[in-house]
Amino acid sequence: MNNISFGQYYPANSLIHSLDARFKVICAFLYIVCSFLCKNILSFAALLASAALLVAISGIPPKILLKSLRPIIFILLFTVVINMFWTSGENLVFSWWKIRIYYEGIMNALFIAVRIVVLIVGTSIFLTYTTTPIALTDALESLLSPLKVLRAPVHEFAMMITIALRFIPTLTEETNRIMAAQKARGADFTTGSIFKRARALIPILVPLFVSAFRRADELATAMECRCYHGGEGRTRLNIPHSRPRDYVMLLLIVAFGAGLILINIYGIGYTMK
Amino acid sequence: MDEYFIRTEHLCCNYRDENGREAPALIDINLKIKKGEYIAVIGRNGSGKSTLAKLLNMILLPASGKIYIDGKDMTSGNLSDDEILDIRRRVGMVFQNPDNQIVATIVEEDIAFGPENLGIPTPEIRRRVDYALETVGMRGYEKHEPHRLSGGQKQRIAIAGVLAMQPECIILDEATAMLDPRGRAEVINTIELLNRERKITVIMITHHMNEAVRADRVIVLSDGRLLRDYPPRQLFSEPDFLRRQGLGVPQSVELIDELRRQGIALEGEPVTPEECAGAIMKYLKQKKAHDG
Amino acid sequence: MAKIRLEKVNYTYSAGTPFETRALRDVEFEIKEGLVTGIIGHTGSGKSTMMMLLNGLEKPESGRVLLDGADIWEKPKEISKVRFRVGLVMQYPEYQLFEETVAKDIAFGPKNMGLTEDEISARVREAAGIVGLDAGLLEKSPFELSGGEKRRAAIAGIIAMKPEVLVLDEPAAGLDPAGRERILGTIQNFRAQTGATVIIVSHSMEDMAEVCDEIVVLLEGRILMSGSTREIFSRADELRRVGLDVPEITGLMLRLRDMGAEIDSIPFTVKDALPKLMKLLK
């Protein structure tokens, strides 16, 4: 937890790392749209190729990316199985007892698997792996700022996330310290029934909450002393600025989407049901 | 224009205890602090030191009495929000726990926090951040994460954050209490530099008597009352008073006091170990000259 | 007689990551039974790690920690018994208080030891007495106490386990001078009443000179020196060379010696220094 900056940010100097976070949020969104535009073998092949290209230029080791897929492996298998068994079609490939597997089912399952994997890989590359949580928060604040007209507390929300991010390492450390202190008094968190273990957390949670409230209180005073008075009239040290490469990336993705639409219109290869 | 940067008249402040009763935190405080002075405030826990600090930059409001900052009455009750912000800009605060006053996850963004709130244009914020980091000796740490720094470094970042608002006065509320001796030395050296070279008024709330020794004046608070407002030499010439207040006395001062009690007529008012050693040597030499 | 012995103890933080740091290297020393031993060193010198090794909160990577001659990790399942015998008061221990009343909080350790109700309440009263908490405070919420009282209540929570060794990490940090004084008094009181072994970590050399019989100096995870308080502070030059302080009075006396005053042995408390100077000045 204390070793790498929390979150999954992977520090490197790739092209994608250097893009403006606001553009990356938009790119990630458009890329998701693209993955849903795919309907046939050729478009899915193009999608897979684009994902491979993204991985290559992101500078993130594929091994680490694969790790991020681990939590969704169950969902992935589940969707594949459902699609394989429940899609009916014309070309029966295999049948036994009540189970019938059609060619269409296999293709759909394959397509959906590709879509899910690309979705995860694409968004992790654009967002979590190449963008620090704080840059992401700032980008969201900036992108959502039109909502301020509707009196949505966009700045306050972003400030909340920033402070939460700032205090994660502090509170993690504090939790470890309190745990050690209670263990020194013979507390046992690892044995006994679930009920007993839940009770054993009280000596940790109470001091942790008390301390979190104390910290919040002191932080609020410190912020007031540094002239904080909400988002109104605030300027920024680091203003996000876009460069040609940001627009190029955006255009590439839009063009990619347009290409996928064309492939769909001319319908090459097997088309998804 | 007032001759004093900070002036209080009959200042009183109450606080609400845990049972909801009002109790006096400060009683009839009269203070005069000139621009560029280095003031130490000492007193036991709960003597009203932090309350005083928070009154001076309008985090708290007094129950009665007057506070003038640079000649301007802060207690008239009709200050605009901008005027209050201006006071907080001019009178900056550094608190005890470094972890609870750092807002951002990157050093430079934290230092920029004050100027950002004040609506300073971006290029000027950059200039101030660089200057502030330079002043506290932390250039090169711009992109570091604060939670990886040492306590002394964190407090210097906090000082830099105040400095970036271009204050005229910095109040340190036990800012060295949680630091090890190295960290404490880092903070003290930084503060003394700001006072000496940038002429920033310093109000240092502390439990460490050897920090108080270095101030121009030491203010002693006890149960909300101002008991002493003396130069350190004069204050440390009454060690009995300090002991009675539960404030402790530096060992050098204690030694001189004991020697005098046993009839050694040492000259001057030495307070630091160097001065005390000097006074003892002087006596020794005179004695030798007399004897020999 | 050695109460605790460390044999070739090594400890590494975050092993196998880019942040790997060796906290302790081949550390070897003894804590004598019934004495007050101080541990001094810079932040990051390995002091905190050492304290956690002494009561089995951390396990040495290699080497052994012996309590009364027996390896504390011989039966890893019974490590909590070691934690009752070697009581650890961590830094800012008041942040561990959690119960509804001070009495219940002090009772937490004894309860985990599986003692009877009568024994527990007797120990709570006794521990509160040693740290000087009024009986009236025992039924209050720990969060209503003053800073110094909270600290003493937390220390009482460890003392109530009747540890054979009491380990304290910066017990007086952040308190006002009167609060410091009281904590030091508490420690001396505890020792006088129980005869237990005490280990203190502190940055305040004046406090260490006041209460310690023996001192161990750690530098970058190694033992730089250890010996009686007098021996250690008489090596003031070496301590200063590695950036550590000596008590203010010791510094003053060294200065006098350097200025030519005839001082044979360098004192480390004011009480000690006074007769030496009087002999010189009379």
Side-chain angles (χ1 to χ4, degrees), chain A residues 73-165:
Chain A
I73 220 135
F74 185 71
I75 299 174
L76 196 65
L77 281 177
F78 185 69
T79 353
V80 165
V81 168
I82 293 266
N83 272 281
M84 207 140 86
F85 292 100
W86 266 266
T87 313
S88 56
E90 285 137 24
N91 309 310
L92 192 65
V93 178
F94 173 83
S95 101
W96 174 73
W97 191 43
K98 279 186 182 170
I99 298 168
R100 281 177 223 293
I101 293 175
Y102 296 91
Y103 173 71
E104 288 83 353
I106 296 177
M107 288 312 281
N108 275 10
L110 201 65
F111 284 177
I112 289 193
V114 169
R115 185 179 283 161
I116 293 177
V117 169
V118 169
L119 261 176
I120 301 290
V121 169
T123 45
S124 346
I125 285 183
F126 278 119
L127 301 178
T128 47
Y129 279 109
T130 64
T131 319
T132 58
I134 204 78
L136 207 56
T137 312
D138 285 349
L140 284 175
E141 181 182 2
S142 158
L143 288 171
L144 295 176
S145 60
L147 295 180
K148 280 180 189 162
V149 182
L150 303 173
R151 294 182 178 271
V154 176
H155 164 77
E156 285 73 8
F157 184 70
M159 183 55 87
M160 250 167 57
I161 301 204
T162 308
I163 290 173
L165 289 171

Side-chain angles (χ1 to χ4, degrees), chain C residues 264-276:
Chain C
D264 40 5
S265 73
I266 300 295
F268 49 89
T269 62
V270 175
K271 224 198 270 160
D272 233 17
L274 208 57
K276 287 188 202 298

Side-chain angles (χ1 to χ4, degrees), chain A residues 1-262:
Chain A
M1 193 76 201
N2 284 319
N3 295 340
I4 320 176
S5 321
F6 37 85
Q8 294 177 307
Y9 180 68
Y10 185 88
N13 278 324
S14 79
L15 170 72
I16 303 206
H17 280 83
S18 73
L19 294 178
D20 181 341
R22 292 171 305 169
F23 279 77
K24 282 196 265 191
V25 172
I26 299 172
C27 283
F29 177 72
L30 289 179
Y31 197 66
I32 293 173
V33 173
C34 281
S35 76
F36 280 98
L37 286 175
C38 296
K39 289 273 188 292
N40 53 42
I41 288 188
L42 187 63
S43 54
F44 270 107
L47 187 66
L48 213 50
S50 72
L53 192 70
L54 277 179
V55 173
I57 58 173
S58 70
I60 296 158
K63 220 200 226 163
I64 289 192
L65 275 169
L66 284 179
K67 237 192 233 167
S68 72
L69 286 175
R70 203 179 290 157
I72 59 142
I73 220 135
F74 185 71
I75 299 174
L76 196 65
L77 281 177
F78 185 69
T79 353
V80 165
V81 168
I82 293 266
N83 272 281
M84 207 140 86
F85 292 100
W86 266 266
T87 313
S88 56
E90 285 137 24
N91 309 310
L92 192 65
V93 178
F94 173 83
S95 101
W96 174 73
W97 191 43
K98 279 186 182 170
I99 298 168
R100 281 177 223 293
I101 293 175
Y102 296 91
Y103 173 71
E104 288 83 353
I106 296 177
M107 288 312 281
N108 275 10
L110 201 65
F111 284 177
I112 289 193
V114 169
R115 185 179 283 161
I116 293 177
V117 169
V118 169
L119 261 176
I120 301 290
V121 169
T123 45
S124 346
I125 285 183
F126 278 119
L127 301 178
T128 47
Y129 279 109
T130 64
T131 319
T132 58
I134 204 78
L136 207 56
T137 312
D138 285 349
L140 284 175
E141 181 182 2
S142 158
L143 288 171
L144 295 176
S145 60
L147 295 180
K148 280 180 189 162
V149 182
L150 303 173
R151 294 182 178 271
V154 176
H155 164 77
E156 285 73 8
F157 184 70
M159 183 55 87
M160 250 167 57
I161 301 204
T162 308
I163 290 173
L165 289 171
R166 150 73 187 78
F167 274 91
I168 285 172
T170 309
L171 289 176
T172 309
E173 209 182 290
E174 175 122 55
T175 311
N176 291 338
R177 224 182 18 237
I178 294 172
M179 273 180 85
Q182 306 300 30
K183 270 197 219 160
R185 296 206 277 169
D188 177 9
F189 310 119
T190 49
T191 58
S193 62
I194 290 183
F195 181 70
K196 191 176 160 242
R197 282 192 212 187
R199 267 188 66 95
L201 289 179
I202 294 174
I204 300 173
L205 292 180
V206 172
L208 194 61
F209 274 102
V210 170
S211 140
F213 281 121
R214 196 192 62 247
R215 286 180 191 279
D217 202 40
E218 286 180 20
L219 184 73
T221 308
M223 285 170 71
E224 229 182 316
C225 285
R226 286 165 77 185
C227 301
Y228 182 69
H229 56 109
E232 205 181 318
R234 256 190 127 231
T235 47
R236 297 305 301 265
L237 166 69
N238 293 319
I239 299 175
H241 53 272
S242 47
R243 287 178 294 181
R245 57 175 67 170
D246 297 312
Y247 291 96
V248 170
M249 179 57 89
L250 194 63
L251 272 177
L252 279 176
I253 290 186
V254 171
F256 180 60
L260 291 174
I261 292 174
L262 280 180

Side-chain angles (χ1 to χ4, degrees), chain B residues 18 43-45 96-97 148 174 177-182 207-210 246-248 250-255 258-259 262-264 266 271-274 276-278 280-281 283-285 287-288 291, chain C residues 19 42-43 92 95 140 144 147-148 173-180 203-204 206 210 242-243 245 247-253 255-256 259-262 268-270 273-274 277-282:
Chain B
E18 56 268 15
R44 296 199 55 174
N45 287 338
Q96 180 178 38
N97 191 333
R148 289 194 197 290
E174 292 185 36
M178 294 179 77
L179 305 180
D180 62 4
R182 269 186 184 174
H207 287 316
H208 290 273
M209 294 308 133
N210 34 14
L247 288 173
Q251 287 190 326
S252 308
V253 173
E254 202 181 324
L255 180 74
E258 286 294 334
L259 288 173
Q262 303 207 14
I264 307 293
L266 296 165
V271 281
T272 64
E274 298 85 59
C276 293
I280 293 169
M281 276 317 282
Y283 183 90
L284 207 59
K285 276 187 189 134
K287 177 175 166 280
K288 271 189 187 148
D291 291 350
Chain C
F19 293 89
H42 294 297
T43 306
Y92 299 99
Y95 295 159
K140 274 195 169 184
E144 285 173 32
L175 297 179
D176 62 20
R180 285 187 90 82
H203 285 298
S204 165
E206 289 79 16
E210 187 92 13
V242 297
D245 282 335
E248 185 176 316
I249 190 74
T250 308
L252 195 162
M253 296 300 276
R255 189 175 284 272
L256 278 178
M259 287 164 101
E262 288 157 40
F268 49 89
T269 62
V270 175
L274 208 57
L277 277 175
M278 283 309 290
K279 213 166 75 192
L280 215 63
L281 295 174
K282 247 201 177 126

